[in-house]
Amino acid sequence: MRITRIDTCGLRGATPEGGWSHELQPDDIVHTLVAVHTDEGIVGLGSAFTSEALVRGAIDLLSPHLIGENPQEVERLTETLHQTAFWMGRGGSLTHATSAIDIALWDIAGQAASQPVGRLLGGRHRDRVRPYASVLMDEAGPMTENLEALVATGFSAFKIGWWKFGRVDAATDEATVAAARAAVGDRLLAVDAGGSEAFFPGDRAWAKRTARMLADYDVAWFEEALAPDDIDGFAELRATSPVRISGGEVLTRRQSFQPYLDRHAFDIVQPDTTKGGGLSESRRIGWAAQDRGIRLIPHGWNTGIGLAADLQLASALSATDLVEYKTGSAYVDDLIHGGWTLDAEGRLDIPATPGLGVTLDEDTLGRYGTRPGFATATP
């Protein structure tokens, strides 16, 4: 089997708000699907959390290392892409594009072997996993209504984030958390400060005070409490915090995560499989974290393909019992044929069919994709 071409498809028309200071608009393309085609008609799907123009440019640069190669040699190929990217942007757009390619190659490998990707990644520790409903913070009224509606649909875990948290005053922070706790009852609740926002004002003193407040509301973890590069601050915060500290969603490649793991800067590490290097890198980060008593819960503010990859990852890592579910996004809710269904315990089945175990909904792709039909197999 050989790779014959690589196609892209940006998603626009229903891009959800991200809580950013320069807010996303519905037609902004920040999620890009990738299809890797083979001479045997098998097509693998991946997803990158970056614009189609950047992914397309990266693929133009990287494709000579892929066309004509055996797609089943996943980690050899993606490591080759990492190794050849030193001079042209390793860690940025090239790594984001490589993430999508890596996911797609695992999808092909699973289809060729008639096995779910999780089994190829090392074995299935579980066949279903709990998604946590990920929502942006808001004024108490709208946020409460949103959370209560999600409770009614069957979600049993939640994360609120960004908005004014850490950006106004302590009273606003606590009132927001108190409203969310009242809305979800005794279900799992996590809080994300959004420290990766441009010029995030939260400092170590604020993070320490806020962690103590969050403990009063039985918050499961405190995410991105500081700017992403403040490794000393994260290590100091984690050493004193009464709640678990998490982060890592903007880091790329296992080498960037290594100092944070070695310093025990996180209780929970959160690589984004659509940015950090794909399933190959997320698995390695998960193994390294587990050896240090750190749990991996993937960041997943992306697409249905990204969620499918995270589900397979969760099956293959013994401690990964949660995945992020970006609520209210057509790119997650509607992109996968058949959609997603929570069971009575608020869990999602992890597909057991070959590859990622999902197919694209062509109607949704036609509505939001820049290149509908880009993943259609050709003889």
Side-chain angles (χ1 to χ4, degrees), residues 67-82:
I67 302 301
E69 294 286 345
N70 183 347
Q72 297 174 88
E73 297 184 1
V74 180
E75 293 191 81
R76 178 182 71 81
L77 292 181
T78 53
E79 186 61 24
T80 297
L81 300 185
H82 292 311

Side-chain angles (χ1 to χ4, degrees), residues 119-143:
R119 187 162 290 140
L120 301 187
L121 291 173
R124 287 166 62 93
H125 288 275
R126 57 184 58 82
D127 56 15
R128 38 181 208 147
V129 67
R130 184 161 57 148
Y132 66 84
S134 188
V135 305
L136 292 175
M137 293 179 185
D138 201 343
E139 300 291 350
M143 185 182 67

Side-chain angles (χ1 to χ4, degrees), residues 60-287:
D60 288 344
L61 188 66
L62 298 171
S63 60
H65 303 287
L66 295 167
I67 302 301
E69 294 286 345
N70 183 347
Q72 297 174 88
E73 297 184 1
V74 180
E75 293 191 81
R76 178 182 71 81
L77 292 181
T78 53
E79 186 61 24
T80 297
L81 300 185
H82 292 311
Q83 291 286 331
T84 56
F86 279 105
W87 295 104
M88 296 292 180
R90 191 185 77 158
S93 297
L94 293 188
T95 299
H96 291 190
T98 297
S99 303
I101 292 167
D102 180 84
I103 294 167
L105 294 178
W106 279 111
D107 190 21
I108 291 171
Q111 292 179 61
S114 297
Q115 297 291 336
V117 166
R119 187 162 290 140
L120 301 187
L121 291 173
R124 287 166 62 93
H125 288 275
R126 57 184 58 82
D127 56 15
R128 38 181 208 147
V129 67
R130 184 161 57 148
Y132 66 84
S134 188
V135 305
L136 292 175
M137 293 179 185
D138 201 343
E139 300 291 350
M143 185 182 67
T144 295
E145 290 177 8
N146 187 18
L147 290 171
E148 289 176 344
L150 291 167
V151 168
T153 65
F155 281 99
S156 61
F158 302 84
K159 185 179 78 180
I160 58 170
W162 294 60
W163 191 55
K164 298 177 181 178
F165 198 81
R167 298 155 176 87
V168 180
D169 54 36
T172 299
D173 293 346
E174 183 163 5
T176 303
V177 176
R181 173 52 75 198
V184 304
D186 61 359
R187 298 167 181 84
L188 183 148
L189 176 65
V191 171
D192 181 356
S196 59
E197 184 185 14
F199 305 109
F200 176 68
D203 58 17
R204 298 181 195 183
W206 170 83
K208 289 179 180 179
R209 290 195 305 271
T210 303
R212 293 192 292 271
M213 179 271 288
L214 296 179
D216 292 337
Y217 292 91
D218 194 25
V219 165
W221 69 80
F222 188 11
E223 184 170 330
E224 282 212 303
L226 297 165
D229 296 324
D230 189 5
I231 185 171
D232 291 336
F234 274 110
E236 182 181 325
L237 175 63
R238 182 190 170 274
T240 61
S241 174
V243 299
R244 294 178 180 86
I245 299 301
S246 71
E249 67 189 57
V250 301
L251 302 179
T252 60
R253 296 207 72 212
R254 62 190 183 274
Q255 290 88 345
S256 296
F257 283 86
Q258 194 71 39
Y260 291 81
L261 299 179
D262 288 343
R263 293 282 303 277
H264 289 267
F266 301 137
D267 296 287
I268 298 169
V269 66
Q270 296 175 294
D272 189 316
T273 298
T274 68
K275 295 194 298 184
L279 284 165
S280 295
E281 292 296 275
S282 288
R283 176 175 65 165
R284 292 190 185 196
I285 294 162
W287 286 346

Side-chain angles (χ1 to χ4, degrees), residues 123-130 311 313-322 350:
R124 287 166 62 93
H125 288 275
R126 57 184 58 82
D127 56 15
R128 38 181 208 147
V129 67
R130 184 161 57 148
L311 291 173
L313 178 68
S315 76
L317 295 175
S318 62
T320 302
D321 58 352
L322 287 161
I350 299 172

